[in-house]
Amino acid sequence: MEMGPLQAVIGLACRRCYKEDVELSRCGGCRRISYCGPECQNADWKRHKPMCKALTSLEKNPAAAARLVSLLPKKPSSDLQELRKLTDEQVDIYFTYLPRETVVGHSWIQREPRCLVCTRTEMVMRMETGDVTQRLIPCPHCMRSFCCSPAHWEAAHTLHHGPSTDWRDGLSHCQMNMFVRLQDKVDTKNSLLDRRGQLTWVPGRVKSRWVSLEGKTWEGEFDEEIRKSYGMPATIPSSSTFLISSASDTLSMPMTILYGLSKLNEDDGWTRKQKLTIHVLGANIREVSCVGVFEEILHRLPEVNTFEIILCGPDVPSRDSFDHEICLECITRGRSCVLKCAANTYHDFVRKQGNQFATPDLCIAFNSGAAQGHLGYTWRTSMKVLVERKLPSLFTAYDREEAEDDAAMLRAAGAALHPLLGPCLNPWGSQKALPTAHSVYGFHVDNGWLAGGFK
């Protein structure tokens, strides 16, 4: 599996040690990745060897070459749907000719550099011309977007430098690339991240009362707290920005729950309940591995004594509950956080509960991808249960396309979507972003979009 920071995946940093500001040499076999010297290349060979040999073989395959070259458009395009279709077709050809064991999810194949307006890759350029020196031209500013020629860079100017709709703050595609690149550099050296690359951090304070999140920002809500936690002086204004970004990747879950509850309820009565219950649909190891962040809900709702969260999904551990230590202040005040697992689809969970089923305060599906994957039929069944039982619900998505597709599924199931809960950007989506897989444009952000909320 070819993992690591994007700069290493696309050959702009050493694949072994991730250094960027050094002279790099490309692998002579696959010509995809780079190393700072023989020592790193030799140390990485065992990991890289299977993919290297497979790609070298693919590039020499005349049938694959003919199919890939035939897909190339006659002229540059800024039609994102057309470009996405072309990249999907190219990746399908890769899957046809590469050995199954090398086609691994989240590998560099998903992030392979392509021309912004024609989807050419360097391999396809070599296949097309027979010239092994062919290289894509990187943007001189962000170094993360590419074109195959100066003429195509002219055609890509508006697409690359115009405002992006994938994130907040009106940043351009180029500016977002630069921010993500800096975030990668920070994360690579950040000893606070766990082995999954997550920063599971919750402020230690407990709020004296519920305060609406309307009009609030990540920086406004967390900058002072994260500085206190990690001893950061206010004289370095950008020092907490990237830590907030890392923390937001997991904190976006409790913050999105709170935001959804505030929009789906006409008053603040839910903030004063003795017990608040949340069901997470389609949960997996991600939610399980960072369950501690959900304590932020208790910290922002001081009148709630018990917070119960049930993680539902075929991929969660097969156990009823698990332990979680909460902060001393909550313990002293007799408060508790109850965490449970239900290794079932949500409709099966509801069916098995029978008459014991109790309506939760919110059902939420993080980044469900309901309309994207092969499990769409199970999501349709769960959506039907949510609508028929009038359960307060909220779905999030990685990007606009997924949000709009999921919203269409929800409406087809009979949901009347709340106008402020999607499809639209999520003000409490993660501040971290990754380039959209199999694409020349766009970003994938955890809970970046709200697909739809209803009750």
Side-chain angles (χ1 to χ4, degrees), residues 305-354:
N305 282 331
T306 301
F307 173 59
E308 179 183 64
I309 184 165
I310 301 178
L311 305 178
C312 300
D315 297 326
V316 300
S318 298
R319 54 183 175 179
D320 293 332
S321 62
F322 46 95
D323 296 328
H324 167 62
E325 294 183 6
I326 60 175
C327 73
L328 182 59
E329 182 174 348
C330 286
I331 293 173
T332 302
R333 292 168 57 176
R335 308 176 79 199
S336 62
C337 187
V338 180
L339 306 167
K340 298 180 179 179
C341 288
N344 300 109
T345 58
Y346 193 66
H347 51 273
D348 280 338
F349 168 73
V350 173
R351 176 180 55 81
K352 289 182 178 181
Q353 290 283 301

Side-chain angles (χ1 to χ4, degrees), residues 225-277:
E225 295 294 338
I226 208 162
R227 287 181 186 280
K228 286 180 181 177
S229 291
Y230 296 109
M232 292 181 170
T235 53
I236 310 177
S238 64
S239 62
S240 67
T241 301
F242 295 107
L243 267 183
I244 290 174
S245 179
S246 294
S248 74
D249 213 36
T250 52
L251 272 174
S252 68
M253 291 187 286
M255 296 303 287
T256 299
I257 287 171
L258 290 166
Y259 185 73
L261 284 166
S262 68
K263 295 299 181 187
L264 289 173
N265 290 279
E266 295 180 358
D267 57 39
D268 288 346
W270 62 276
T271 70
R272 298 185 290 274
K273 298 186 68 172
Q274 286 293 302
K275 180 179 180 181
L276 192 74
T277 300

Side-chain angles (χ1 to χ4, degrees), residues 26 112-116 120-122 125 134-138 146-149 153:
R26 289 204 175 191
E112 185 177 16
R114 303 172 183 278
C115 176
L116 268 172
R120 278 176 171 83
T121 65
E122 290 187 349
M125 292 167 68
Q134 288 284 306
R135 294 284 182 92
L136 290 166
I137 304 170
F146 303 81
C147 280
C148 64
S149 68
W153 261 121

